[in-house]
Amino acid sequence: MAFCNSLHIVTQALCLSTSPIPIFYVRTCFLHQSMHLSSTDFFTSVLLKSLLLTVLWLRVTDEIPPSIYCYFFSISLSLNHVFMSICPSDFNYNTDGYEGDGAEDGKSQDGSETLPYIDESPTMSPQLCAPQGPDGETVSPTPPEGLLPGVKTRKGLEMKKLVLSGFLASEEIYINQLEALLLPIRPLKATATTSQPVLTIQQIETIFYKIQDIFEIHKEFYDALLPNIQQWDEKVTVGHLFQKLASQLGVYKAFVDNYKVALETAEKCSQANSQFQEISENIKVKGPKDSKDCTTTISMEALLYKPIDRVTRSTLVLHDLLKHTPKDHPDFPLLQDALRISQNFLSSINEEIDPRRTAVTTPKGEARQLVKDGFLVEVSEGSRKLRHVFLFTDLLLCAKMKKAAVGRHQQYECKWYIPLADLTFQTLDDSDSCPSIQVVPEHELEEMKIKISVLKSEMQKEKKAPKGQSRVERLRKKMNEQESWLLTHSPTIPFRIHNKHGKSYLFLLSSDYERSEWRESIQKLQKKDLQACVLSSVELQVLTSSCFKLRTVHNIPVTSNKDDEETPGLYGFLHVIVHSAKGFKESANLYCTLEVDSYGYFVSKAKTRVFRDTTEPQWNEEFEIELEGSQHLRILCYEKCYDKSRLNKDDNEIVDKIMGKGQVQLDPQTVQSKNWHMDVIEMNGIKVEFSMKFTSRDLSLKRTPSKKQSGVFGVKINVVTKRERSKVPYIVRQCIEEVEKRGIDEVGIYRISGVATDIQALKAAFDTNTKDILVMLSDMDINAIAGTLKLYFRELPEPLLTDRLYPAFMEGIALSDPAAKENCMMHLLRSLPDPNLMTFLTLLEHLKRVAEKEPINKMSLHNLATVFGPTLLRPSESENTKGQHITSASDIWSHDVMAQVQVLLYYLQHPPISFAELKRNTLYFSTDV
């Protein structure tokens, strides 16, 4: 008896630690299998037990799949059932069906809640415990041959009753949990109106949002289902009850939308009020009617998770009910409809809830939960290494993927780990040596982007070719290598962690958003009572091996890892208006930054002005952001710090405090409409209101012919210079002068977007020749002035380097012989009209002066060429795209834009070019253009 009990415990521990199937799925097998063994099968069960030991060993060595292992595990549960009937005093196994309680009920021993990903797929149902057919699909245990169809139907309906009985038992537990969660509301509301409230009415409504509605829905469902199970026969129908339950999932949607806010509010209230902390940590829940234990104590955080978990479990039950319901039974179409509604609901909220979290059981029986993981660049021995970092509830583990032999599973190798109890974010002392960081020049990163774009274009062509698939795979492999290199060498924002008993470790991130997420996740876990842990070599090996199965981020975030059907992202210009923000408790100096993703990492693209001393900033600032395959927009809200004593070099001199951050997906169907799309990002109780619209690259690359003669924008350059009696338009001269006066040291000048409303104000002033232009320029944000200059060149009806010469510029830059390229490129400049040439040379010398300050402003010649190349060369629609079919936005970027960048870069890297000398010199040979 003791041996079998030990066997069951070992089996259960192995299932938790090595199988990806959660324990509540396996418990379903108990319901399915245990009803078919009686005490008279004792000797048979002993034989099965011997077989099970063999299967367990095969599972540990990965020789059989988890589904088969789980099937045999269900047999071990059945064995327990047999021995319980013989000697029930030796066993006390809970059979609450789908729900369960205690440590296995989605709750770790440290009190933290395990949050499984909400999965609506049939493959995640308890059917996994059954054997699989030859086609890989799960099948029910085959009934004995010779059974009549009616017998099969009766067996199926008996199984259906078992499934419903188990689910009904779990419904009772769930209702008790909701009822316990509702109990504190009345006394909390009573104190809310007194002079010493525990919580405010608003806090109560936030924490317990929709709980009463969910309770009433399930109480009604339970009361209606119970008599059907008690008076069961073949004609009983329950499909209408499940259909009604599914139709009320809108209440769950509201609950899920509020879930994070509810948890945050409850946590803050617990920290601020000891009374509420006592209430939230010790909620008494009644056990089932036939349970020996009258009550159990569960935390409010754990109870608030129950509704999210419940939808998944209800969906799993629907899969099993359909499996055991004949297709001609009245319940079948109703259950199908309920399942469809449930799956659609789960699909709609999967992206909105916390990512999949999985627990691993240590040899000591402690639950260690994976909270967060991702790919980070570590600076190790002076070089950059791409690592997969895993944050568990009690430690941080840094691993690298080992190269796997053919036919072997990939595995991780642990590089180091730090117990969270020993982890700090303190910076190195001045006396300590700071590791040197290998910095790749900006132009090399840009050149790699161009190579990747070329490969993408080649892959698209090969996919259309009859026998191009083998070459596609070679191109994909090469692109993966180049994208991984870019991902490794582009991050620059340091994130240092320190082991207070040992050394420091340095990561480089591409985004302040990402650094904040890691820091906040670690600090939240450190608020709990953590004990320092030391892992033995065996424990460390087991934990590292489990990382492959536990990980939630499976692939390096590069394009080549995505399926061909996945969206390639947006190419073009995203217009964003940051309107306002609410929810700040104290006045502060506030501003927002905007980030978009490109080539697997995020880049800061725009920044609002600082709104001083306010709790409700009203920016109403518009930005134009260029997208390169982008799929997400991030908004970060900061409090500006003017205290120079808080300068922190380890944080890349960023000392401003992040007040909140949020992210939205750039859905092409939503943002590509001509109208503005308004949205709100909620971040830690702060709400930022913004609007956006998108112009695709194929549209933004077109110049619209204009017959406008007044003003300067959209007017031919020779018309403007003739009217002004100047060699270079006044707008170009004034903007260049202002940028060189006070913007040449500005980080990201010409790359960071200016406020669109300021740019439009300057545009109107130049168009109307306002006398106050100089005053406006001196007061205006320098990024708006830089943006005005870019806008002027972009809106020229013909590019500065002309439509006529565009094909020749494309051919000239492609020449491989340096002497031939020099002669051709200089001859093309000489062929430009004088106003165009003078303006181009003026701009060229200005951009060179900007690039001289690259160590300060981070704008290299290549950066500037990327910004201005398409603007100065992009042909007008009438000459370039008339009658042509544009295949895709990424193709346009791959071919036209990178060549335009190379043309400008050639002239920027060329020694100074004098207008007089250029006109005076003759070529060794000349060709008509």
Side-chain angles (χ1 to χ4, degrees), residues 690-702:
F690 68 100
S691 299
M692 59 182 175
K693 68 176 180 179
F694 172 74
T695 306
S696 62
R697 185 177 289 285
D698 57 342
L699 293 176
S700 61
L701 287 177
K702 298 176 182 176

Side-chain angles (χ1 to χ4, degrees), residues 110-284:
D110 63 354
S112 63
E113 188 75 8
T114 302
L115 304 181
Y117 180 80
I118 291 186
D119 198 312
E120 68 274 19
S121 64
T123 57
M124 289 298 288
S125 82
Q127 298 166 13
L128 280 171
C129 303
Q132 292 184 335
D135 58 354
E137 290 188 3
T138 304
V139 295
S140 302
T142 308
E145 289 185 15
L147 281 182
L148 296 174
V151 177
K152 291 182 182 179
T153 301
R154 283 197 300 276
K155 289 286 183 184
L157 290 172
E158 286 175 14
M159 184 61 73
K160 180 179 176 182
K161 180 187 176 183
L162 290 175
V163 173
L164 285 170
S165 299
F167 185 63
L168 189 71
S170 71
E171 272 290 290
E172 182 186 352
I173 294 172
Y174 181 49
I175 290 168
N176 289 345
Q177 291 166 343
L178 293 174
E179 195 172 28
L181 192 55
L182 290 169
L183 280 176
I185 295 181
R186 185 174 292 178
L188 286 172
K189 283 187 174 180
T191 62
T193 55
T194 64
S195 58
Q196 292 183 323
V198 177
L199 299 181
T200 65
I201 292 293
Q202 184 178 357
Q203 288 170 334
I204 295 169
E205 290 176 350
T206 300
I207 295 171
F208 300 97
Y209 185 67
K210 294 296 179 183
I211 298 296
Q212 182 68 44
D213 294 341
I214 294 172
F215 170 77
E216 290 171 1
I217 288 170
H218 282 269
K219 186 68 168 68
E220 182 183 349
F221 172 78
Y222 178 86
D223 291 342
L225 184 61
L226 179 60
N228 285 290
I229 307 302
Q230 292 173 337
Q231 302 168 9
W232 182 262
D233 63 40
E234 294 181 9
K235 297 179 182 179
V236 167
T237 58
V238 294
H240 62 289
L241 300 178
F242 281 90
Q243 191 181 40
K244 183 178 180 181
L245 186 66
S247 69
Q248 295 170 306
L249 284 174
V251 176
Y252 274 91
K253 177 67 169 69
F255 176 86
V256 170
D257 289 343
N258 181 70
Y259 175 66
K260 284 186 179 180
V261 181
L263 281 187
E264 290 170 0
T265 306
E267 187 177 348
K268 289 177 183 176
C269 292
S270 292
Q271 293 171 357
N273 190 297
S274 57
Q275 269 185 286
F276 181 71
Q277 185 178 14
E278 178 66 23
I279 293 171
S280 64
E281 291 179 356
N282 299 284
I283 297 179
K284 304 293 184 183

Side-chain angles (χ1 to χ4, degrees), residues 585-605:
K585 296 179 180 178
E586 298 177 358
S587 292
N589 304 314
L590 303 167
Y591 69 92
C592 287
T593 62
L594 307 180
E595 296 180 354
V596 293
D597 58 312
S598 175
Y599 295 93
Y601 60 95
F602 279 81
V603 182
S604 182
K605 287 285 189 177

